[in-house]
Amino acid sequence: MIGKLSYDEMLKLADQLNKSSDIIKSYMKDEESSNNVRKFCEEVDTYTRFLISSVQLYKYSDEALKTMIEKNK
């Protein structure tokens, strides 16, 4: 868990963010006025990748802690 959310919930949130960003990008035209929206979508995509890698890191940490606890019994 990360905070009050399970790993699966975090991954679902990341997936939803990714899909939402894709939907926004699909509506944008190559106009200069949409530059801020494009930057926002890029930041959302970056944050999504961060969430996914954080979940993986937490999972690996949990596995390492379990191994350490078992070895120290």
Side-chain angles (χ1 to χ4, degrees):
M1 286 187 81
I2 301 175
K4 295 182 180 181
L5 298 174
S6 70
Y7 296 138
D8 288 337
E9 289 171 321
M10 290 293 290
L11 292 175
K12 285 178 186 176
L13 287 172
D15 185 53
Q16 187 60 46
L17 280 172
N18 192 37
K19 287 178 183 177
S20 296
S21 177
D22 288 344
I23 290 169
I24 292 169
K25 287 186 275 188
S26 73
Y27 287 114
M28 291 186 332
K29 302 216 183 320
D30 289 329
E31 299 175 10
E32 191 173 314
S33 62
S34 66
N35 195 31
N36 286 336
V37 176
R38 191 176 319 281
K39 287 180 184 178
F40 173 76
C41 288
E42 289 172 2
E43 293 299 324
V44 169
D45 294 342
T46 300
Y47 184 64
T48 300
R49 288 189 298 275
F50 167 76
L51 285 176
I52 292 169
S53 63
S54 293
V55 168
Q56 196 61 44
L57 178 64
Y58 273 84
K59 284 182 176 180
Y60 290 147
S61 297
D62 284 348
E63 290 173 16
L65 282 172
K66 284 180 188 176
T67 301
M68 290 170 56
I69 289 169
E70 288 297 317
K71 288 186 177 183
N72 288 321
K73 284 187 175 180

